[in-house]
């Protein structure tokens, strides 16, 4: 559908933007980047265009280069949660866990119940060896979604890191009760 729109109007911003994002989801990164770059030439300050560019750059280049696009997206639309979360993810990949926690905290001020931000914040805290705080984040998710496999597995890992093996095993058992065939989550 995006191609049909672009045949009639090669500079249609929305077709370039969402067509590019669709190509990104299909893992056609070079065409996605070309479409998003064209959209950014039309509107270099658009929050979504910068966010999508950040996703592409993070995927094909490196997380450090993507942060500038997430920052541009956040400046354009400060209450846009996905770029805040993705910036935190990129910072975590770079080992900048304190900065990642700050980015997740900003996202959580806007959407306090955002499961992805809560879990990713817990992961960054765990990487900082702040296991108690990490577990508080996982527990927050588990209070609302008791069978969230990611929160259960990450909590078990944090408990193991704290040498609380009995509690860790209880959480791993819960994971296997919910999805007995999902052994992969235990080794990720």
């Amino acid at each position: 559908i995006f191609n049909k729109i672009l045949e009639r109007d090669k500079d249609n911003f929305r077709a370039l933007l969402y067509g590019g994002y669709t190509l990104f989801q299909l893992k056609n990164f070079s065409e996605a980047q070309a479409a998003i770059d064209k959209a950014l030439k039309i509107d270099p300050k658009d929050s979504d265009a910068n966010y999508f560019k950040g996703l592409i750059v993070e995927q094909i280049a490196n997380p450090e280069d993507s942060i500038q696009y997430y920052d541009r997206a956040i400046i354009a639309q400060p209450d846009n949660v996905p770029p805040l979360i993705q910036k935190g993810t990129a910072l975590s990949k770079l080992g900048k866990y304190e900065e990642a926690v700050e980015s997740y905290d900003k996202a959580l001020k806007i959407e306090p119940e955002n499961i992805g931000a809560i879990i990713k914040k817990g992961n960054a805290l765990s990487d900082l060896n702040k296991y108690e705080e990490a577990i508080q984040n996982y527990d927050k998710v588990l209070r609302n979604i008791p069978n969230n496999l990611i929160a259960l597995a990450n909590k078990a890992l944090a408990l193991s890191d704290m040498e609380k093996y009995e509690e860790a095993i209880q959480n791993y058992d819960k994971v296997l009760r919910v999805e007995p065939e999902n052994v992969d989550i235990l080794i990720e």
Side-chain angles (χ1 to χ4, degrees):
I1 189 167
F2 300 114
N3 286 336
K4 288 184 180 186
I5 294 169
L6 292 170
E7 284 173 13
R8 283 186 248 147
D9 179 6
K10 65 182 174 101
D11 293 326
N12 184 293
F13 179 78
R14 292 285 165 216
L16 290 165
L17 181 67
Y18 294 110
Y21 184 67
T22 300
L23 290 164
F24 168 78
Q25 290 179 311
L26 295 170
K27 300 190 183 325
N28 187 339
F29 302 123
S30 60
E31 286 187 43
Q33 185 166 4
I36 296 300
D37 284 346
K38 198 167 181 182
L40 281 168
K41 284 182 183 172
I42 296 167
D43 187 354
K45 293 182 179 182
D46 183 79
S47 182
D48 287 337
N50 278 289
Y51 170 59
F52 295 161
K53 175 72 175 189
L55 292 173
I56 294 165
V57 168
E58 186 174 349
Q59 188 67 42
I60 63 173
N62 68 57
E64 192 158 7
D65 292 340
S66 68
I67 292 170
Q68 65 181 313
Y69 295 102
Y70 299 137
D71 284 338
R72 290 178 192 165
I74 294 162
I75 289 167
Q77 191 178 348
D79 63 343
N80 192 352
V81 171
L84 286 164
I85 295 172
Q86 201 59 40
K87 179 181 178 181
T89 301
L91 289 164
S92 284
K93 288 178 183 176
L94 295 168
K96 298 179 179 182
Y97 305 116
E98 293 282 354
E99 292 176 59
V101 169
E102 290 173 21
S103 196
Y104 298 134
D105 280 340
K106 289 177 184 174
L108 290 167
K109 282 183 182 171
I110 299 163
E111 289 182 17
E113 301 302 316
N114 186 298
I115 302 299
I118 296 168
I119 289 174
K120 289 179 180 211
K121 179 182 175 184
N123 295 347
L125 289 165
S126 202
D127 287 329
L128 288 166
N129 299 324
K130 296 181 177 181
Y131 303 117
E132 293 289 345
E133 290 178 62
I135 289 170
Q136 289 173 8
N137 281 270
Y138 303 137
D139 283 343
K140 182 175 182 179
V141 171
L142 294 169
R143 278 192 293 279
N144 295 317
I145 309 169
N147 292 330
N148 184 294
L149 296 177
I150 296 169
L152 284 168
N154 288 342
K155 179 179 178 181
L157 184 60
L159 289 164
S160 291
D161 289 338
M162 295 172 65
E163 299 181 5
K164 294 185 176 184
Y165 301 117
E166 290 298 322
E167 289 179 68
I169 290 170
Q170 291 171 4
N171 279 273
Y172 285 130
D173 284 344
K174 287 179 189 175
V175 170
L176 291 174
R177 267 183 267 149
V178 174
E179 275 195 36
E181 70 285 349
N182 193 352
V183 178
D184 291 341
I185 198 164
L186 300 177
I187 54 177
E188 286 182 356

